[in-house]
Amino acid sequence: MRGRESSHPAITLKGVSFSYRDRPVLRGIDITVPRGSYFGIVGPNGSGKTTLAYLISGILRPSSGQVDTHAGRIGLVLANPANQIVSLVVEEDIAFGPENLQLSPEEINARIDIALSVIHAEHLRRSLTTALSGGELAKVVFAGQLALDTDVLVLDEGTVMLDPVNRKILLETIEELNGDLGKTIIHISHRLDDLEAADTVVALHEGVIALRANGVFDLTRQIEEHPIPGIEPGAKILYRDFLISKGITEEDLEKATHELAKRIRARSS
Ligand code: ADP
């Protein structure tokens, strides 16, 4: 959420390049993610987004360059939450990480309570994970990361499996985690409209950072001049695009719509 970010970095990537065997995938990536910020990474399929998520989370090591996580705890949420569920019952699934940290049963219990309340899912505590919807599964994965006291949440295409209603709920949850709890969010998507709440958005194209912007609105303007095929704008962004093509650059959508209506009225009178 805007205004919460600090000047201390949560994640720093310097000159990071990565190859799968002899296949270069990322080149010269420089990224600084301030603590408490909401950082968006958008890019078409195959541009290297998942590889970047793995590098930030420490699952992969760069072929060259440095990834510094500043001693913070990083949690990764993958596109298909079902892949990250390990237990049959929600509370056991959330307990899995903390149990590996050898915490006491009381502490683990308390962490489960807090994690579930943060994501408004206390009612799911004893549910079977096999009975949950995609949105609920995604929430359980989040709760599992929160129970590990994660500082930074990296989401790789976290909404891709979700229907529009669950997608909206998840996006709101992410915003709350950032705005209310001050978690640093790194949200990776091929859809620009997933990243409406991001303070900073970078566009990945063929393994390099092609554009850097202060939010999706700024990025939309830049994409007008430097198109990147394969980035899905989503309805809201398409509408903004249309407004920009009409010369309306007002950032507040309601005000911009007002302006558009005024012009249409003026033309037809
Ligand atoms: P994105 O998440 O943007 O779709 P990825 O990071 O998954 O991009 O992939 C970037 C490129 O690396 C793609 O061309 C992909 O085919 C390739 N790639 C991904 N994983 C592997 C792998 N394990 N071995 C070889 N090439 C891979």
Side-chain angles (χ1 to χ4, degrees), residues 5-19:
E5 66 185 66
S6 85
S7 52
H8 298 288
I11 306 278
T12 314
L13 273 71
K14 273 199 199 125
V16 167
S17 298
F18 184 83
S19 304

Side-chain angles (χ1 to χ4, degrees), residues 20 23 25 43-52 156-157 204:
Y20 289 105
R23 175 171 190 181
V25 172
N45 280 337
S47 58
K49 298 188 299 300
T50 297
T51 308
L52 191 53
D156 183 22
E157 299 278 8
L204 206 56

Side-chain angles (χ1 to χ4, degrees), residues 36-83:
S37 70
Y38 190 141
F39 194 91
I41 301 173
V42 70
N45 280 337
S47 58
K49 298 188 299 300
T50 297
T51 308
L52 191 53
Y54 287 166
L55 286 163
I56 292 169
S57 320
I59 293 170
L60 292 174
R61 290 190 187 288
S63 311
S64 61
Q66 288 106 40
V67 176
D68 192 345
T69 56
H70 304 277
R73 221 183 260 280
I74 319 289
L76 177 63
V77 180
L78 296 169
N80 185 353
N83 288 342

